[in-house]
Amino acid sequence: MNEPNLLVQEYNRHDTICAIATFPAKAALGVIKVSGKNALGIVAKIFRPKVKKNIRRARNFSLHYGWIVEKSKIKNKKLKIKGQETRVVDEVLVSVMRKPFSYTREDVVEISSHGGGLVLNKILDLLVSSGGRAALPGEFTYRAFIHGRIDLLQAQSIVDIVEAKTDFGLAAAVAQLKGANSRKIEKLKTHIEDFLVKVEAILEFPEEHIPVDSSQITRDLNMIKETVTGLRKDAERAERVRGDIHCVICGRANVGKSTLFNRLLRQERVIVTRIPGTTRDVIQEDIYIRGVALKMYDTAGILEPKDLIDKKAIEKSKDKIKDADLILLVIDQSQKIGKDDRFLLDMMKGKNAIVVLNKADLPQKIDMNILKKLHISMVKMSALKDQGLSTLEDTIAGWVKRKGLTKDEDLLFLAQWQRTLLTQIEEEIAKALEFHRNGYPLDHIHFSLQEVFRKIGVCTGQSLNDEVMNKLFTQFCIGK
């Protein structure tokens, strides 16, 4: 889909561009987008409306029914016939969005045809032969950015809307598209700008003897630093929402891990037997719990390995536990805590874990006092009898909420290069604070804050940079 070697310098803003905007496969509908100053004229060459009209003069936000037609020359020397033959390609609806009231702020026409690779590519070929140019990846969004309809943060949010895996991630990306985070960063820029004006006044007009309030400079710099740190944390949380939360089911052999895995998946994904050590590899599936995307892993039971296969399976299980965002430690509550249980409970120290007391349909033999001392969330259930599953799912969703992964209004979706810039901005402000604490001249602080101001402009796109443009817009597919 994407062309990683594409450079934005290859975008020609004067061309009228066109592209298939939907996946070119068997489907009820397909859409072809056209944008540019000649969009209406190019479409008029291949569109025949049912009601006779000039599509070039169509009203803004109007819809027109008709046919896409292909003209071909007829020449018969014997009969001495010359002319044109018109052939219908497809029945379509054409929508017109005039500048500046469109995605790109140019004249835009969208052709809704029947789905299917052949018909969509045929219409695209006709548009190109009529004066259009096939769009490059991200070129429509680039035009929206360059014409001031969106900034780089909003452009990034479009990528995240397309790639959203959860309700939370989608809601946060939409909030960013609406400008929520752009306003936060604009407010930060204003604070820095006000601070720079004060410092510049002191530096430029020494004869005025403008008083320097050292404590106020410290407060201003700390306030700016706290704001940037908050944005960085919002970006880190957004990165977790953007991806999946890795949740590992672990426990000693034969405690019901695979039965629980199957219950969470709502299908018999893993073979379950009474023989200990049936699972001899890490099995992974993607699931959704209360709108949260999880990569769920069923691991081999932690026990003394009988052979090399067992040993490798247990090593993989331990690796997954080490890297997990959340661990579901399954313990058989119908038995006393054994040495393998104690080993795993020790592994949970400092980790995000929920203890699943399985086999609640059987008499309890476990000593609850041992578990209560650990201060770990616990859920009683019977995976076999399908009892308590809803409570476990609520507990998982509650953990996600407590971790702040569901506050969509505070998430800041950034690309890797933007997150790197934010870290550099934070370091630069820390440097300015250090200069001030050590009694350096104001010139040093002024230079650091100017660098911060410049980098924030790069992050939002107010300071244009070809490398930055390339990194962002090559994430898009053709037609976006």
Side-chain angles (χ1 to χ4, degrees):
M1 290 283 281
N2 295 352
E3 295 180 19
N5 296 321
L6 174 76
L7 300 175
V8 292
Q9 293 94 320
E10 295 176 34
Y11 295 155
N12 187 330
R13 290 162 55 190
H14 303 292
D15 292 344
T16 296
I17 56 174
C18 47
I20 298 168
T22 51
F23 191 68
K26 289 181 181 179
L29 291 173
V31 175
I32 300 99
K33 290 168 65 173
V34 189
S35 179
K37 62 181 179 180
N38 297 322
L40 289 159
I42 288 169
V43 172
K45 293 178 183 179
I46 66 170
F47 176 61
R48 290 294 173 268
K50 183 174 182 181
V51 177
K52 193 174 181 181
K53 64 181 82 171
N54 186 347
I55 197 73
R56 293 179 179 86
R57 296 176 185 170
R59 295 192 318 275
N60 191 26
F61 300 133
S62 56
L63 195 63
H64 309 272
Y65 167 69
W67 297 269
I68 295 296
V69 296
E70 179 182 21
K71 294 177 182 177
S72 57
K73 290 181 180 179
I74 301 172
K75 192 173 182 181
N76 190 312
K77 288 183 179 179
K78 274 189 176 181
L79 299 174
K80 296 181 180 179
I81 296 172
K82 283 185 180 180
Q84 277 191 332
E85 179 185 40
T86 301
R87 185 172 67 86
V88 172
V89 174
D90 196 14
E91 181 183 32
V92 299
L93 285 173
V94 168
S95 55
V96 175
M97 289 155 277
R98 289 187 175 274
K99 68 176 185 180
F101 305 105
S102 70
Y103 180 69
T104 59
R105 282 195 172 167
E106 300 176 325
D107 284 344
V108 170
V109 180
E110 290 188 354
I111 302 169
S112 296
S113 70
H114 292 96
L118 180 62
V119 67
L120 288 168
N121 280 292
K122 185 70 177 173
I123 295 170
L124 182 63
D125 289 344
L126 289 171
L127 288 167
V128 171
S129 63
S130 299
R133 171 173 64 77
L136 297 167
E139 196 164 4
F140 288 92
T141 301
Y142 174 77
R143 290 190 177 192
F145 164 72
I146 217 73
H147 291 140
R149 185 182 176 277
I150 57 174
D151 61 21
L152 283 193
L153 291 176
Q154 291 168 304
Q156 181 61 46
S157 72
I158 293 165
V159 176
D160 288 293
I161 287 171
V162 173
E163 296 180 353
K165 295 180 180 179
T166 68
D167 293 341
F168 308 126
L170 177 59
V174 169
Q176 183 158 310
L177 179 60
K178 288 163 71 178
N181 288 319
S182 300
R183 288 189 290 274
K184 286 181 190 176
I185 290 186
E186 197 56 42
K187 190 176 178 182
L188 172 63
K189 275 193 74 181
T190 302
H191 287 153
I192 295 170
E193 196 168 24
D194 290 345
F195 182 80
L196 280 171
V197 167
K198 291 177 193 174
V199 174
E200 283 169 4
I202 295 167
L203 293 173
E204 294 293 327
F205 305 104
E207 70 278 2
E208 296 292 330
H209 303 291
I210 300 170
V212 178
D213 187 339
S214 180
S215 59
Q216 184 60 50
I217 290 173
T218 301
R219 284 195 295 273
D220 286 343
L221 287 172
N222 276 322
M223 187 266 302
I224 292 167
K225 186 174 184 294
E226 284 168 14
T227 304
V228 173
T229 300
L231 290 172
R232 178 181 56 75
K233 288 179 179 177
D234 290 345
E236 287 172 357
R237 291 194 305 106
E239 192 58 21
R240 294 200 293 272
V241 169
R242 177 189 273 147
D244 296 311
I245 297 166
H246 293 252
C247 183
V248 173
I249 299 174
C250 70
R252 62 176 172 81
N254 215 30
V255 292
K257 299 184 300 298
S258 296
T259 304
L260 174 59
F261 186 71
N262 288 340
R263 286 294 182 201
L264 288 166
L265 290 177
R266 268 72 172 177
Q267 61 172 303
E268 294 296 315
R269 171 67 176 82
V270 182
I271 296 169
V272 177
T273 73
R274 292 186 179 182
I275 303 167
T278 304
T279 303
R280 303 184 80 187
D281 199 355
V282 175
I283 297 166
Q284 183 262 313
E285 287 287 344
D286 295 332
I287 69 167
Y288 287 85
I289 293 177
R290 308 287 190 267
V292 178
L294 297 165
K295 282 198 180 296
M296 187 67 69
Y297 297 88
D298 182 24
T299 61
I302 304 295
L303 72 171
E304 287 297 321
K306 296 186 181 73
D307 53 37
L308 184 61
I309 297 173
D310 271 350
K311 187 179 179 182
K312 286 190 174 292
I314 292 166
E315 284 173 359
K316 285 178 74 173
S317 295
K318 288 179 179 177
D319 287 342
K320 285 297 174 191
I321 292 168
K322 184 181 174 183
D323 297 334
D325 297 309
L326 176 64
I327 300 164
L328 303 182
L329 172 56
V330 184
I331 293 177
D332 183 352
Q333 64 93 54
S334 70
Q335 296 183 18
K336 292 180 180 179
I337 291 179
K339 65 173 184 178
D340 289 332
D341 295 318
R342 290 179 187 275
F343 172 73
L344 285 163
L345 285 167
D346 283 339
M347 283 183 70
M348 297 304 110
K349 289 176 182 176
K351 296 186 180 296
N352 299 308
I354 298 169
V355 172
V356 180
L357 297 170
N358 195 27
K359 305 189 183 183
D361 53 307
L362 299 175
Q364 179 180 310
K365 291 184 182 178
I366 197 168
D367 185 351
M368 293 297 293
N369 291 322
I370 296 173
L371 297 176
K372 285 176 182 175
K373 290 176 185 176
L374 300 171
H375 305 291
I376 298 176
S377 296
M378 288 183 283
V379 176
K380 275 191 175 186
M381 68 173 295
S382 170
L384 181 66
K385 301 292 184 181
D386 198 11
Q387 297 168 0
L389 182 65
S390 181
T391 304
L392 176 60
E393 291 178 333
D394 288 342
T395 305
I396 292 169
W399 173 82
V400 173
K401 192 171 184 179
R402 286 194 303 277
K403 284 293 174 183
L405 301 182
T406 61
K407 293 181 183 176
D408 51 79
E409 71 277 8
D410 290 332
L411 297 178
L412 176 60
F413 285 98
L414 298 176
Q416 179 60 53
W417 63 267
Q418 287 171 309
R419 294 197 301 277
T420 302
L421 266 178
L422 206 56
T423 301
Q424 290 171 359
I425 288 166
E426 196 174 13
E427 290 169 354
E428 200 67 51
I429 296 167
K431 193 191 296 181
L433 267 166
E434 193 65 25
F435 285 149
H436 184 55
R437 287 193 196 104
N438 293 329
Y440 280 73
L442 274 177
D443 301 71
H444 290 72
I445 299 167
H446 181 254
F447 179 80
S448 288
L449 267 291
Q450 278 186 321
E451 188 64 12
V452 167
F453 194 77
R454 184 190 68 79
K455 285 181 176 177
I456 289 173
V458 173
C459 196
T460 59
Q462 289 161 320
S463 300
L464 290 177
N465 178 307
D466 284 342
E467 185 182 354
V468 164
M469 299 292 105
N470 292 331
K471 284 177 180 176
L472 175 59
F473 290 104
T474 52
Q475 295 179 77
F476 288 86
C477 60
I478 294 170
K480 196 61 184 162

